[in-house]
Amino acid sequence: MIEVDYLIVGCGFAGLSFIEEAKAHNKSVLVFDNQSQQSSTVAGGMYNPVVLKRFTAVWKSQEQLKLALPFYKNLEVKLNITVDYKLPVYRRFVSTEEQNNWFAASDKVNVGEFISTTLIKNTNAHINADFGFGEVLQTGRVDSALLMASYRAYLKRNGELVERPFLYKALEPTASGFMYQDYKIKHVVFAEGFGLKQNPFFNYLPLQGSKGELLIIHAPELNINFLLKSSVFVMPLGNDLYKVGATYERDDKTNNTTEAGKNQLLSKLKSFITCDFEIVDQVAGVRPTVKDRRPLIGAHPEHKHMFILNGLGSRGVLIGPYVAKQLYNAIENGGELDTEIDIKRYESDYASIS
């Protein structure tokens, strides 16, 4: 019989963030992850405190940044890798009206500190940007693929990773937690992303899921050292490679790439990029999105030692460490979860099926 403080199902940005929080408090962990969910691995990996469609602040962006930046720095030291790259974000303007809206947003609380009021003129012959760019401050890119692969290898070396599907029916409630095969567990945290749909304990929650496809292109003439955001984003990866994304597809919930997704991205990309490029790769994953655009965090309505950490959408890089700390504090110290993320807001949905 092996005793474990936390059994964690899923090792994307949500699961990884909670594992690190538990380990920081000397808790033992057992992690189940069979890589069935790809959203964290294929993600753009950008952290950006501004919603660039509406020029508004990302929810809790200040608090999240304060936690996220040292979080990834610590992981770089622990894993002996570099994953956090400081990368400016340039928002391409398509009209004078957009410019004016940008400068108006710079006066808003929680937004102004992240928006530069210096209009950047376009000097790149291969970009159509007659109205210039606005720069977002305090932004960067996390190499999500390298981080996930390195972290899984780290867990494997410690004997903490189980690379096979989690068997929900094998989880047996006890007075002090759960039994799972040969393990005695104090707490279970489900951080499965869109895999939540197969989870009989939490599948009452309104996780919608949004498939995203991205392209990797080779564009030697483009030569930019910032993330360019227009109808799609163009993110430099080094060696003249760029990640281009992303699509938002609500009906297709597979990780399969599609010709339609590729054509949509190419059409948008060619509307503002004029140089030649070659498609090197195409990837896809289903984001764990929620109808009210807030994470799904908290305790199961009946099983008091069972928890969920999900619904991080397309901003898992930024949100993960923040919500993981909130959930850990709620479990171990009785702390109150932010009402906007607490799954108690969906208690009536659970009552209707129980």
Side-chain angles (χ1 to χ4, degrees):
M1 184 68 62
I2 304 172
E3 295 189 13
V4 178
D5 292 318
Y6 284 95
L7 187 154
I8 299 154
V9 184
C11 193
F13 280 113
L16 185 157
S17 297
F18 191 85
I19 295 163
E20 280 296 286
E21 187 67 24
K23 282 176 166 285
H25 293 87
N26 299 311
K27 302 296 184 182
S28 56
V29 302
L30 178 68
V31 183
F32 275 76
D33 188 89
N34 64 347
Q35 294 185 286
S36 62
Q37 302 304 310
Q38 299 293 316
S39 62
S40 290
T41 303
V42 305
M46 196 70 197
Y47 55 87
N48 162 29
V50 178
V51 179
L52 290 175
K53 189 174 183 178
R54 299 182 295 275
F55 307 157
T56 55
V58 169
W59 177 77
K60 301 283 187 182
S61 56
Q62 293 170 313
E63 296 94 324
Q64 291 171 16
L65 270 174
K66 287 177 183 177
L67 289 175
L69 298 184
F71 177 82
Y72 292 111
K73 183 63 179 177
N74 290 338
L75 281 172
E76 288 182 323
V77 173
K78 174 184 283 194
L79 303 174
N80 194 28
I81 56 175
T82 299
V83 294
D84 184 4
Y85 297 90
K86 306 308 176 188
L87 186 68
V89 172
Y90 285 11
R91 170 60 153 82
R92 172 179 172 262
F93 298 133
V94 297
S95 65
T96 303
E97 182 183 5
E98 276 199 343
Q99 291 178 343
N100 293 337
N101 291 341
W102 177 265
F103 291 119
S106 68
D107 290 329
K108 294 179 182 177
V109 176
N110 297 328
V111 183
E113 65 184 290
F114 300 122
I115 286 182
S116 170
T117 54
T118 301
L119 179 66
I120 299 174
K121 293 184 178 181
N122 178 40
T123 58
N124 190 313
H126 300 295
I127 301 174
N128 289 326
D130 293 340
F131 295 92
F133 312 103
E135 181 181 0
V136 186
L137 308 175
Q138 300 185 49
T139 58
R141 173 179 75 89
V142 170
D143 187 336
S144 53
L146 175 60
L147 175 59
M148 296 303 163
S150 300
Y151 199 77
R152 287 173 60 86
Y154 158 75
L155 292 174
K156 203 169 181 177
R157 288 194 301 271
N158 292 345
E160 296 169 328
L161 179 64
V162 180
E163 297 181 282
R164 56 179 184 268
F166 181 77
L167 305 175
Y168 301 102
K169 291 182 178 179
L171 190 64
E172 302 175 16
T174 68
S176 59
F178 297 92
M179 290 296 301
Y180 184 85
Q181 297 176 345
D182 296 329
Y183 295 94
K184 182 179 179 182
I185 311 294
K186 287 185 180 179
H187 305 290
V188 176
V189 175
F190 289 107
E192 306 152 290
F194 192 67
L196 171 72
K197 290 296 186 181
Q198 310 304 317
N199 185 323
F201 301 107
F202 287 107
N203 60 9
Y204 71 92
L205 292 168
L207 190 76
Q208 296 173 321
S210 171
K211 179 177 180 175
E213 297 191 56
L214 303 99
L215 299 176
I216 308 296
I217 65 169
H218 184 239
E221 295 178 302
L222 186 54
N223 193 29
I224 61 173
N225 59 357
F226 53 87
L227 182 142
L228 173 57
K229 179 66 175 76
S230 186
S231 51
V232 290
F233 68 74
V234 182
M235 176 189 292
L237 303 176
N239 299 317
D240 297 323
L241 295 173
Y242 298 86
K243 185 173 283 188
V244 179
T247 62
Y248 286 83
E249 168 59 51
R250 288 191 171 88
D251 295 326
D252 181 0
K253 308 296 188 183
T254 71
N255 292 325
N256 302 326
T257 58
T258 66
E259 195 71 16
K262 180 178 76 173
N263 291 337
Q264 182 186 141
L265 291 171
L266 288 176
S267 174
K268 291 181 177 180
L269 178 65
K270 290 178 180 178
S271 71
F272 62 92
I273 296 294
T274 61
C275 62
D276 293 333
F277 59 85
E278 175 190 2
I279 298 175
V280 176
D281 198 8
Q282 183 177 357
V283 294
V286 181
R287 310 173 189 88
T289 53
V290 187
K291 65 180 182 180
D292 65 2
R293 300 189 178 186
R294 292 291 179 267
L296 300 169
I297 315 296
H300 189 273
E302 293 185 33
H303 301 294
K304 65 178 182 178
H305 295 284
M306 180 185 290
F307 305 89
I308 186 170
L309 187 68
N310 207 318
L312 275 55
S314 60
R315 299 186 183 275
V317 171
L318 195 57
I319 298 176
Y322 176 79
V323 291
K325 186 173 285 291
Q326 277 223 4
L327 179 59
Y328 183 86
N329 185 49
I331 296 171
E332 296 290 342
N333 305 315
E336 291 290 326
L337 290 173
D338 189 309
T339 55
E340 289 185 87
I341 65 175
D342 196 330
I343 59 169
K344 286 180 181 177
R345 69 192 192 273
Y346 294 116
E347 276 185 342
S348 60
D349 292 31
Y350 182 77
S352 67
I353 64 168
S354 59

